[in-house]
Amino acid sequence: LDKMQMHVVAVADQTINAYFGHAPEIVRLIEHVRDHALTVFGVRLGGGKTSHRTLCHGDSWNNNFLFHNISGDIVLVDWQWPHFSNPLLDVGVLLYSSTSAEMRQQHINNLLVHYVSAWNETLDRLEDVSVEGRMTIANAIDDFEHALPGVFLSLLFLSEAFVNLDRALAGGTAEQPGPIMRRYTTAIKELTREGRVEKQIGLLMKGAEGRGG
């Protein structure tokens, strides 16, 4: 855990220095994530409040989805971060790392409705009749919000992983990022502006203090 905390600190500092030194509100949020690194990382590994837990991929950005161009089958690859956690974490990482802000604004509610329907239909196929296994739209909306600190941390990790590729392929800079970093920095700005990540971290810390007391 100490090594993971050191890694989160290094990633946060690199992201600040590379792209957000001129944006104090974003720097403040990244530093907040950094200062509570283990608690936030715990969201990625199954911690935090959630109505359901299931097997999660943990790195569900677009390049880890393979599509068969004839059958239409989809395969999820690169299972380096599997864990039992909030299922909406994978959904959030995919949306914020691999779609545009416009797409999120227009379609996120419909996507959550479809996700809930697919979840419950899967339980039907498995002949699971337990009431507690069913998901509602209210569950999905709440769990999506609870997952946001983990989503934000994933964006920091992806930024670290692809900043050099972005610069090599597109000549991206802090002032004019290429297409890869433009997507990530836009998502980071969006989550910072809305205050949703900071709110959820506050709830996580309050819960941790309550358990400690």
Side-chain angles (χ1 to χ4, degrees), residues 28-80:
R28 186 166 58 249
L29 178 56
I30 295 177
E31 288 177 341
H32 197 43
V33 170
R34 179 194 65 194
D35 293 343
H36 301 291
L38 292 184
T39 299
V40 176
F41 193 77
V43 176
R44 285 175 53 92
L45 297 181
K49 183 179 178 181
T50 179
S51 65
H52 296 75
R53 295 186 192 279
T54 191
L55 177 64
C56 293
H57 181 272
D59 192 21
S60 55
W61 68 296
N62 59 292
N63 274 24
N64 284 336
F65 289 81
L66 300 182
F67 297 82
H68 195 287
N69 62 356
I70 297 176
S71 68
D73 291 341
I74 303 172
V75 177
L76 191 54
V77 299
D78 195 11
W79 287 78
Q80 299 184 67

Side-chain angles (χ1 to χ4, degrees), residues 189-206:
K189 290 175 183 177
E190 182 180 330
L191 288 171
T192 302
R193 183 174 60 250
E194 295 172 350
R196 293 155 67 195
V197 174
E198 197 154 13
K199 176 183 176 181
Q200 293 301 321
I201 293 175
L203 293 174
L204 284 171
M205 299 310 300
K206 185 176 180 180

Side-chain angles (χ1 to χ4, degrees), residues 100-136:
S100 66
E102 181 181 18
M103 186 275 178
R104 291 190 289 273
Q105 292 165 3
Q106 293 182 0
H107 300 294
I108 190 168
N109 290 335
N110 289 336
L111 186 146
L112 291 179
V113 169
H114 180 76
Y115 185 86
V116 169
S117 176
W119 175 283
N120 292 328
E121 287 174 3
T122 300
L123 292 184
D124 290 338
R125 289 198 300 273
L126 296 173
E127 299 182 352
D128 184 336
V129 296
S130 61
V131 175
E132 61 270 19
R134 301 284 146 171
M135 185 180 290
T136 67

